[in-house]
Amino acid sequence: MFTKPGDTAQLLWNGELTTRGRLYRLGLGLAGGPVLWLGLFLLAPSVVLIALAFAQRGAYGQIEWTATLDNFVRLAGLGGDRWTGDYLLILWRSVWMAIVTTALSLLLSYPLAFFIASRTPRTRYLLLSLVMVPFCTNMVIRTYAWQLLLSRQLPIARLAAMLGFIDAESSLYPSAFAVYLGMVSTFLPFAILPLYTNVERLDWSIVEAAHDLYASRWRVFRHAILPQTIPGLSAAIILTFIPAMGTFVVPDLLGGANYMLVGSLIQQQFGASRNLPFGAAASFALMAMTLAVLFLLRRHGKEAAREG
Amino acid sequence: MEGVGVGSSPRRAVGALTQGGGELEVRGVCKSFGEVQVLRDVSFTVRQGEFVTLLGPSGCGKTTLLRIIAGLEKADSGQVLLSGSPLCGLPANKRPVNTVFQSYALFPHLSVYENVAFGLRSRGMVNGEVDRRVLPSLDMLQLGSFARRYPHQLSGGQKQRVALARALVNEPEVLLLDEPMSALDAKLRAEVQIEIRRLQRRLGKTFILVTHDQDEAMTVSDRVLVMREGRIEQGGEPTEVYEHPVNRFVAEFLGLANLIGARAEDGVLATELGRLMTHQQPTWQRGTLAIRPERVRVWGDEKPPHNAVHVMIRELIFRGDHTDLFVEPGNLRVRVPATAGVRAGQHVWLELPAEHLQVLAD
C-alpha cells in the first residue's frame, strides 16, 4: 500500500504513541457515521427538493423533470391572467406569525426563567418538569384540547363573551387569538429551557457591581442582566422561530381557513393537490425566508452587542 | 419616570454624606444564613483615611461583613454608621461606598472607558464631566492606552486595575476590596499590594480589604482585624498582632509560630523544654506559649543564661534568604540567616528570649 512519508512517523497524541495514518483512519471512523447520516438524510433530500422546485406537475400529478421557474412565478402571484397576492400573503403571514409567536414566547419565558432559577433546587426541578410535561403529549391532541377549552359552552369563552370580546354563544376559535394561544403554548418550552440554563449560570456579581455603582433598576437590567442573557435569548429565538415558521397543525385546527400558513400550503401541495413541484417551491421559499430572518437577527444582535 | 427618580436620588444621598468625616463604625452586627451564624456581634471602628484589613480563613464571615457594609447584604441586627449616620436603611446604590469585587465583575459588553464611567453615568453626569473624571482615573492606574479595549482583551492585572478605577472614580468615602488580588499570580500580587498601599496613602481614602492572605494583610494595612467564626479575635497594627498574638488561632494564622504547651507552677512555667520565664503572667494553670521562629536565638556550644534549651538539629531547609531548622526535642522551627553555618545532626543551645515568648489565652 502506498504511504506518504509522514504516515509512518511515530507521534504522541494525548499520551498515546501512534502514527499520522492511524490517526486519519481513527478520525474517519468517528466522523464517518454522522457524515453519512447527514449526507443521506439531510443533504440528499435538500438537493432533490431544490431540483423538484424547478420541475413541473404532469396532468396526473406525476413529476416532469423540466427546468422551469413556473412554480416561483406562481408563488409570486404572476401565474394567472392577473396578479394575485394570495401566496405572498400566506408567506408573509407565516413570517409574521412566527415573529409574534417568538416575541410572545420570549416575553413570557424571560421572567419565568428567572423565577424558576431563583427557587430552591427541589422546586426548580419540579417547575422544570411541569414546563416539560406538554412535550410528552402529542401536539395534535393538545391542539384539540385547546379547541375543547375554547368552545362556547366552557368558562373561557363565556368570560370572553361577558367582557364583550366575542358575541354571546360563540366559541373563541377559530380566531387569531386561538392560533397564538396554541402556538405560544406549543413553543414556550423551547424558549424557557435555553433561557433557564443561561439564567442559572448568570454571574450575579456583575449585577451587584451595577447596584454598587448607583445604577437604577433599568440600568441594572440593561447593562448587567440583558447582555449576559444574549446567548440564551438567541438560542430561544432560533428554537422557537424555526419550528413556528413551518408549523401547520396548530393554525389549521385553531385558525380555520383564514389562517392558512406556508406549512399548511406545503402539506396541501404534497398531499391533496399532488403538486409536488409547487410544494417544493413553497418549501424552498420557507427555507430561504427562515434563513434570511435568522441572518438579519444575527447581524442585528452583533451590532447591538457592539454598540453596547 | 422611575429611571429619573432613582437616578437623581442617589446623587443627593451621596452628596449629603460626603460632607462628613468619613469614619466608619460597625456596631454589634449579627448575621445568620439559616441555621449558620456567620457574624456574632461584630463591632469595630475605621478612622478616616485608614487602611483596615479583615483577615481570616474562608468561612469566617469576613466577606459577609464587607457585603453588609456595601449594602449587598442585610444585617440581622446591629448597625453600620458612616460619619455618625446609619447606612442600614440605604440600598447599595445609594451608599457612598464602592466595592472592588473578587472576580472584578467588569461589564463584559462595555469598554474599559465605559466600565469606569458607569457609576458616573448612573448618577446622570454629562459627557464632558464624565470625560474630566474618567481620564485622570485611567491615567492614575496606567490604563490610558486601554480605554477602548474590552474586558476580555485584558490580563488579570489590567482587569483588576479597571475594577479599582471603576470604584475610585466615584470618589467613595470608603472603598471596599473583596480579595481583589486572589486571582493574580504571586509575583504580580506582591507588586499590586504595594501599589494599592501607595494609592491609598496618596488618596487618603478609607480602604477596607478582605483577605485570607496574611502577607497581604501585613503589607497593606494600618490595622489588621483577625476574624474567626464570625468574631474578631484580635485587632491592631500588623506588628502588634504579629508580635503579640492573643491566642493560638491568631498566632498560627498570622505567620509561623512554635506552640509550646506549659503548666504554671509557683510563678514559673514548666514545659517539655524545661522551665521558661516570660514577661507576662498567665491566667491559666495549663496553656500555651508561642514564639516566632526568627525570635529563637541560636547560641551554639555556649549555654545562654536564661530560657536555655539544648537541642539537636534534625533537619535543615535552605530558603534562599534564610534557613529553617527543625530541632528536637519540641519539634521547634528556628529561622536563622542563610549564612549561619549550622549543619544537620549538630547539638546546639537555643535561647527562647522571655520578651518574645508570648503567653496565649488558650
Side-chain angles (χ1 to χ4, degrees), chain A residues 157-190:
Chain A
R158 288 196 176 174
L159 185 73
M162 249 168 62
L163 294 172
F165 289 124
I166 51 170
D167 296 332
E169 291 301 302
S170 62
S171 61
L172 269 166
Y173 82 93
S175 68
F177 169 75
V179 175
Y180 284 124
L181 195 65
M183 295 274 272
V184 170
S185 68
T186 304
F187 296 114
L188 204 56
F190 295 96

mmCIF file of all heavy atoms in Angstrom, chain A residues 157-190:
data_model
loop_
_atom_site.group_PDB
_atom_site.id
_atom_site.type_symbol
_atom_site.label_atom_id
_atom_site.label_comp_id
_atom_site.label_asym_id
_atom_site.label_seq_id
_atom_site.Cartn_x
_atom_site.Cartn_y
_atom_site.Cartn_z
ATOM 1 N N ALA A 157 -64.694 30.917 27.073
ATOM 2 C CA ALA A 157 -65.467 31.598 26.034
ATOM 3 C C ALA A 157 -66.580 32.445 26.657
ATOM 4 O O ALA A 157 -66.852 33.561 26.218
ATOM 5 C CB ALA A 157 -66.058 30.573 25.067
ATOM 6 N N ARG A 158 -67.213 31.910 27.709
ATOM 7 C CA ARG A 158 -68.279 32.665 28.383
ATOM 8 C C ARG A 158 -67.743 33.953 28.973
ATOM 9 O O ARG A 158 -68.377 35.005 28.884
ATOM 10 C CB ARG A 158 -68.910 31.816 29.483
ATOM 11 C CG ARG A 158 -69.771 30.709 28.911
ATOM 12 C CD ARG A 158 -70.663 30.165 29.968
ATOM 13 N NE ARG A 158 -71.560 29.175 29.390
ATOM 14 C CZ ARG A 158 -72.387 28.437 30.100
ATOM 15 N NH1 ARG A 158 -72.421 28.587 31.413
ATOM 16 N NH2 ARG A 158 -73.169 27.578 29.521
ATOM 17 N N LEU A 159 -66.570 33.858 29.604
ATOM 18 C CA LEU A 159 -65.946 35.037 30.206
ATOM 19 C C LEU A 159 -65.642 36.075 29.123
ATOM 20 O O LEU A 159 -65.963 37.259 29.268
ATOM 21 C CB LEU A 159 -64.650 34.637 30.926
ATOM 22 C CG LEU A 159 -63.967 35.761 31.695
ATOM 23 C CD1 LEU A 159 -64.739 36.102 32.958
ATOM 24 C CD2 LEU A 159 -62.528 35.394 32.039
ATOM 25 N N ALA A 160 -65.091 35.595 27.995
ATOM 26 C CA ALA A 160 -64.772 36.498 26.896
ATOM 27 C C ALA A 160 -66.042 37.159 26.373
ATOM 28 O O ALA A 160 -66.053 38.344 26.047
ATOM 29 C CB ALA A 160 -64.059 35.732 25.790
ATOM 30 N N ALA A 161 -67.114 36.380 26.321
ATOM 31 C CA ALA A 161 -68.390 36.929 25.852
ATOM 32 C C ALA A 161 -68.922 37.970 26.835
ATOM 33 O O ALA A 161 -69.414 39.030 26.446
ATOM 34 C CB ALA A 161 -69.406 35.805 25.666
ATOM 35 N N MET A 162 -68.796 37.647 28.135
ATOM 36 C CA MET A 162 -69.267 38.569 29.166
ATOM 37 C C MET A 162 -68.522 39.895 29.100
ATOM 38 O O MET A 162 -69.087 40.960 29.302
ATOM 39 C CB MET A 162 -69.049 37.947 30.550
ATOM 40 C CG MET A 162 -70.341 37.574 31.261
ATOM 41 S SD MET A 162 -69.974 36.561 32.695
ATOM 42 C CE MET A 162 -68.988 37.669 33.670
ATOM 43 N N LEU A 163 -67.217 39.801 28.806
ATOM 44 C CA LEU A 163 -66.407 41.016 28.733
ATOM 45 C C LEU A 163 -66.573 41.716 27.393
ATOM 46 O O LEU A 163 -65.982 42.763 27.151
ATOM 47 C CB LEU A 163 -64.927 40.671 28.946
ATOM 48 C CG LEU A 163 -64.598 40.141 30.353
ATOM 49 C CD1 LEU A 163 -63.150 39.636 30.399
ATOM 50 C CD2 LEU A 163 -64.820 41.210 31.412
ATOM 51 N N GLY A 164 -67.358 41.101 26.499
ATOM 52 C CA GLY A 164 -67.674 41.757 25.240
ATOM 53 C C GLY A 164 -66.653 41.561 24.143
ATOM 54 O O GLY A 164 -66.671 42.259 23.143
ATOM 55 N N PHE A 165 -65.713 40.608 24.305
ATOM 56 C CA PHE A 165 -64.725 40.379 23.253
ATOM 57 C C PHE A 165 -65.332 39.614 22.085
ATOM 58 O O PHE A 165 -64.942 39.809 20.945
ATOM 59 C CB PHE A 165 -63.520 39.605 23.801
ATOM 60 C CG PHE A 165 -62.672 40.427 24.729
ATOM 61 C CD1 PHE A 165 -62.409 40.005 26.019
ATOM 62 C CD2 PHE A 165 -62.141 41.640 24.301
ATOM 63 C CE1 PHE A 165 -61.620 40.767 26.863
ATOM 64 C CE2 PHE A 165 -61.356 42.403 25.141
ATOM 65 C CZ PHE A 165 -61.105 41.974 26.426
ATOM 66 N N ILE A 166 -66.260 38.716 22.383
ATOM 67 C CA ILE A 166 -66.924 37.952 21.321
ATOM 68 C C ILE A 166 -68.431 37.989 21.562
ATOM 69 O O ILE A 166 -68.885 38.353 22.648
ATOM 70 C CB ILE A 166 -66.444 36.477 21.281
ATOM 71 C CG1 ILE A 166 -66.537 35.857 22.690
ATOM 72 C CG2 ILE A 166 -65.054 36.362 20.711
ATOM 73 C CD1 ILE A 166 -66.313 34.376 22.712
ATOM 74 N N ASP A 167 -69.187 37.592 20.536
ATOM 75 C CA ASP A 167 -70.634 37.532 20.699
ATOM 76 C C ASP A 167 -70.981 36.399 21.660
ATOM 77 O O ASP A 167 -70.260 35.403 21.737
ATOM 78 C CB ASP A 167 -71.320 37.255 19.339
ATOM 79 C CG ASP A 167 -71.065 38.398 18.374
ATOM 80 O OD1 ASP A 167 -70.870 39.531 18.863
ATOM 81 O OD2 ASP A 167 -71.023 38.132 17.154
ATOM 82 N N ALA A 168 -72.109 36.593 22.352
ATOM 83 C CA ALA A 168 -72.569 35.534 23.242
ATOM 84 C C ALA A 168 -72.838 34.282 22.417
ATOM 85 O O ALA A 168 -73.147 34.357 21.212
ATOM 86 C CB ALA A 168 -73.833 35.973 23.966
ATOM 87 N N GLU A 169 -72.705 33.120 23.031
ATOM 88 C CA GLU A 169 -72.995 31.837 22.396
ATOM 89 C C GLU A 169 -72.067 31.512 21.231
ATOM 90 O O GLU A 169 -72.380 30.681 20.396
ATOM 91 C CB GLU A 169 -74.459 31.781 21.918
ATOM 92 C CG GLU A 169 -75.455 31.726 23.056
ATOM 93 C CD GLU A 169 -75.268 30.524 23.960
ATOM 94 O OE1 GLU A 169 -75.318 29.383 23.461
ATOM 95 O OE2 GLU A 169 -75.030 30.730 25.168
ATOM 96 N N SER A 170 -70.911 32.179 21.159
ATOM 97 C CA SER A 170 -69.960 31.770 20.125
ATOM 98 C C SER A 170 -68.678 31.303 20.814
ATOM 99 O O SER A 170 -68.433 31.626 21.969
ATOM 100 C CB SER A 170 -69.670 32.922 19.159
ATOM 101 O OG SER A 170 -69.097 33.987 19.849
ATOM 102 N N SER A 171 -67.894 30.513 20.106
ATOM 103 C CA SER A 171 -66.679 29.988 20.717
ATOM 104 C C SER A 171 -65.509 30.901 20.370
ATOM 105 O O SER A 171 -65.610 31.777 19.512
ATOM 106 C CB SER A 171 -66.415 28.572 20.222
ATOM 107 O OG SER A 171 -66.240 28.613 18.823
ATOM 108 N N LEU A 172 -64.380 30.659 21.070
ATOM 109 C CA LEU A 172 -63.210 31.516 20.889
ATOM 110 C C LEU A 172 -62.360 31.091 19.694
ATOM 111 O O LEU A 172 -61.366 31.708 19.387
ATOM 112 C CB LEU A 172 -62.363 31.501 22.154
ATOM 113 C CG LEU A 172 -62.705 32.595 23.167
ATOM 114 C CD1 LEU A 172 -62.075 32.293 24.506
ATOM 115 C CD2 LEU A 172 -62.268 33.961 22.665
ATOM 116 N N TYR A 173 -62.707 29.977 19.056
ATOM 117 C CA TYR A 173 -61.958 29.581 17.881
ATOM 118 C C TYR A 173 -62.937 29.338 16.754
ATOM 119 O O TYR A 173 -64.120 29.082 17.019
ATOM 120 C CB TYR A 173 -61.136 28.327 18.171
ATOM 121 C CG TYR A 173 -61.911 27.056 18.054
ATOM 122 C CD1 TYR A 173 -61.945 26.336 16.851
ATOM 123 C CD2 TYR A 173 -62.658 26.589 19.135
ATOM 124 C CE1 TYR A 173 -62.697 25.177 16.759
ATOM 125 C CE2 TYR A 173 -63.404 25.439 19.041
ATOM 126 C CZ TYR A 173 -63.426 24.737 17.852
ATOM 127 O OH TYR A 173 -64.165 23.610 17.751
ATOM 128 N N PRO A 174 -62.571 29.393 15.512
ATOM 129 C CA PRO A 174 -61.243 29.783 15.017
ATOM 130 C C PRO A 174 -61.041 31.297 15.101
ATOM 131 O O PRO A 174 -61.947 32.055 14.782
ATOM 132 C CB PRO A 174 -61.286 29.332 13.562
ATOM 133 C CG PRO A 174 -62.727 29.341 13.189
ATOM 134 C CD PRO A 174 -63.498 29.058 14.446
ATOM 135 N N SER A 175 -59.842 31.658 15.565
ATOM 136 C CA SER A 175 -59.513 33.084 15.650
ATOM 137 C C SER A 175 -58.005 33.251 15.761
ATOM 138 O O SER A 175 -57.289 32.284 16.039
ATOM 139 C CB SER A 175 -60.173 33.689 16.889
ATOM 140 O OG SER A 175 -59.576 33.159 18.044
ATOM 141 N N ALA A 176 -57.545 34.457 15.564
ATOM 142 C CA ALA A 176 -56.117 34.757 15.705
ATOM 143 C C ALA A 176 -55.692 34.490 17.142
ATOM 144 O O ALA A 176 -54.624 33.932 17.403
ATOM 145 C CB ALA A 176 -55.847 36.215 15.345
ATOM 146 N N PHE A 177 -56.587 34.858 18.069
ATOM 147 C CA PHE A 177 -56.285 34.640 19.478
ATOM 148 C C PHE A 177 -56.000 33.163 19.748
ATOM 149 O O PHE A 177 -55.006 32.810 20.393
ATOM 150 C CB PHE A 177 -57.464 35.125 20.329
ATOM 151 C CG PHE A 177 -57.390 34.710 21.771
ATOM 152 C CD1 PHE A 177 -56.508 35.348 22.637
ATOM 153 C CD2 PHE A 177 -58.187 33.678 22.251
ATOM 154 C CE1 PHE A 177 -56.434 34.959 23.957
ATOM 155 C CE2 PHE A 177 -58.115 33.286 23.572
ATOM 156 C CZ PHE A 177 -57.238 33.932 24.428
ATOM 157 N N ALA A 178 -56.874 32.299 19.220
ATOM 158 C CA ALA A 178 -56.709 30.865 19.444
ATOM 159 C C ALA A 178 -55.411 30.358 18.825
ATOM 160 O O ALA A 178 -54.716 29.524 19.407
ATOM 161 C CB ALA A 178 -57.900 30.111 18.865
ATOM 162 N N VAL A 179 -55.082 30.864 17.628
ATOM 163 C CA VAL A 179 -53.855 30.421 16.965
ATOM 164 C C VAL A 179 -52.639 30.795 17.815
ATOM 165 O O VAL A 179 -51.761 29.968 18.080
ATOM 166 C CB VAL A 179 -53.734 31.032 15.557
ATOM 167 C CG1 VAL A 179 -52.395 30.670 14.936
ATOM 168 C CG2 VAL A 179 -54.862 30.545 14.672
ATOM 169 N N TYR A 180 -52.587 32.064 18.262
ATOM 170 C CA TYR A 180 -51.433 32.490 19.063
ATOM 171 C C TYR A 180 -51.366 31.721 20.376
ATOM 172 O O TYR A 180 -50.287 31.345 20.828
ATOM 173 C CB TYR A 180 -51.474 33.998 19.320
ATOM 174 C CG TYR A 180 -51.071 34.785 18.104
ATOM 175 C CD1 TYR A 180 -51.900 35.756 17.553
ATOM 176 C CD2 TYR A 180 -49.843 34.539 17.494
ATOM 177 C CE1 TYR A 180 -51.528 36.459 16.433
ATOM 178 C CE2 TYR A 180 -49.459 35.230 16.362
ATOM 179 C CZ TYR A 180 -50.299 36.195 15.832
ATOM 180 O OH TYR A 180 -49.928 36.871 14.729
ATOM 181 N N LEU A 181 -52.526 31.485 20.966
ATOM 182 C CA LEU A 181 -52.566 30.714 22.214
ATOM 183 C C LEU A 181 -51.947 29.327 21.981
ATOM 184 O O LEU A 181 -51.082 28.872 22.735
ATOM 185 C CB LEU A 181 -54.021 30.575 22.680
ATOM 186 C CG LEU A 181 -54.245 30.114 24.109
ATOM 187 C CD1 LEU A 181 -53.724 31.150 25.085
ATOM 188 C CD2 LEU A 181 -55.736 29.874 24.352
ATOM 189 N N GLY A 182 -52.393 28.682 20.921
ATOM 190 C CA GLY A 182 -51.884 27.347 20.611
ATOM 191 C C GLY A 182 -50.405 27.368 20.278
ATOM 192 O O GLY A 182 -49.639 26.519 20.742
ATOM 193 N N MET A 183 -50.002 28.356 19.470
ATOM 194 C CA MET A 183 -48.595 28.453 19.051
ATOM 195 C C MET A 183 -47.695 28.696 20.254
ATOM 196 O O MET A 183 -46.693 28.010 20.436
ATOM 197 C CB MET A 183 -48.418 29.612 18.063
ATOM 198 C CG MET A 183 -49.155 29.423 16.758
ATOM 199 S SD MET A 183 -48.197 28.471 15.568
ATOM 200 C CE MET A 183 -47.272 29.778 14.798
ATOM 201 N N VAL A 184 -48.057 29.666 21.075
ATOM 202 C CA VAL A 184 -47.209 30.020 22.214
ATOM 203 C C VAL A 184 -47.114 28.849 23.182
ATOM 204 O O VAL A 184 -46.044 28.518 23.673
ATOM 205 C CB VAL A 184 -47.718 31.295 22.917
ATOM 206 C CG1 VAL A 184 -46.995 31.511 24.238
ATOM 207 C CG2 VAL A 184 -47.532 32.509 22.022
ATOM 208 N N SER A 185 -48.244 28.190 23.427
ATOM 209 C CA SER A 185 -48.193 27.070 24.376
ATOM 210 C C SER A 185 -47.371 25.921 23.812
ATOM 211 O O SER A 185 -46.758 25.168 24.552
ATOM 212 C CB SER A 185 -49.599 26.604 24.740
ATOM 213 O OG SER A 185 -50.204 26.008 23.618
ATOM 214 N N THR A 186 -47.329 25.812 22.482
ATOM 215 C CA THR A 186 -46.506 24.755 21.881
ATOM 216 C C THR A 186 -45.018 25.074 21.988
ATOM 217 O O THR A 186 -44.213 24.201 22.274
ATOM 218 C CB THR A 186 -46.876 24.578 20.395
ATOM 219 O OG1 THR A 186 -48.269 24.302 20.316
ATOM 220 C CG2 THR A 186 -46.091 23.449 19.767
ATOM 221 N N PHE A 187 -44.672 26.339 21.742
ATOM 222 C CA PHE A 187 -43.251 26.669 21.625
ATOM 223 C C PHE A 187 -42.614 27.235 22.887
ATOM 224 O O PHE A 187 -41.410 27.442 22.935
ATOM 225 C CB PHE A 187 -43.030 27.607 20.434
ATOM 226 C CG PHE A 187 -43.376 26.955 19.138
ATOM 227 C CD1 PHE A 187 -44.441 27.397 18.360
ATOM 228 C CD2 PHE A 187 -42.652 25.855 18.712
ATOM 229 C CE1 PHE A 187 -44.766 26.761 17.182
ATOM 230 C CE2 PHE A 187 -42.975 25.215 17.530
ATOM 231 C CZ PHE A 187 -44.030 25.666 16.765
ATOM 232 N N LEU A 188 -43.442 27.481 23.905
ATOM 233 C CA LEU A 188 -42.907 28.058 25.143
ATOM 234 C C LEU A 188 -41.757 27.238 25.746
ATOM 235 O O LEU A 188 -40.736 27.807 26.119
ATOM 236 C CB LEU A 188 -44.038 28.233 26.169
ATOM 237 C CG LEU A 188 -43.807 29.305 27.236
ATOM 238 C CD1 LEU A 188 -43.527 30.652 26.614
ATOM 239 C CD2 LEU A 188 -45.006 29.385 28.162
ATOM 240 N N PRO A 189 -41.883 25.911 25.837
ATOM 241 C CA PRO A 189 -40.767 25.147 26.425
ATOM 242 C C PRO A 189 -39.456 25.352 25.675
ATOM 243 O O PRO A 189 -38.398 25.398 26.286
ATOM 244 C CB PRO A 189 -41.230 23.694 26.317
ATOM 245 C CG PRO A 189 -42.703 23.768 26.207
ATOM 246 C CD PRO A 189 -43.011 25.049 25.500
ATOM 247 N N PHE A 190 -39.522 25.516 24.361
ATOM 248 C CA PHE A 190 -38.301 25.719 23.575
ATOM 249 C C PHE A 190 -37.630 27.038 23.930
ATOM 250 O O PHE A 190 -36.441 27.207 23.723
ATOM 251 C CB PHE A 190 -38.618 25.719 22.075
ATOM 252 C CG PHE A 190 -39.127 24.415 21.564
ATOM 253 C CD1 PHE A 190 -40.483 24.186 21.433
ATOM 254 C CD2 PHE A 190 -38.238 23.406 21.227
ATOM 255 C CE1 PHE A 190 -40.954 22.971 20.967
ATOM 256 C CE2 PHE A 190 -38.702 22.187 20.762
ATOM 257 C CZ PHE A 190 -40.057 21.966 20.629
#
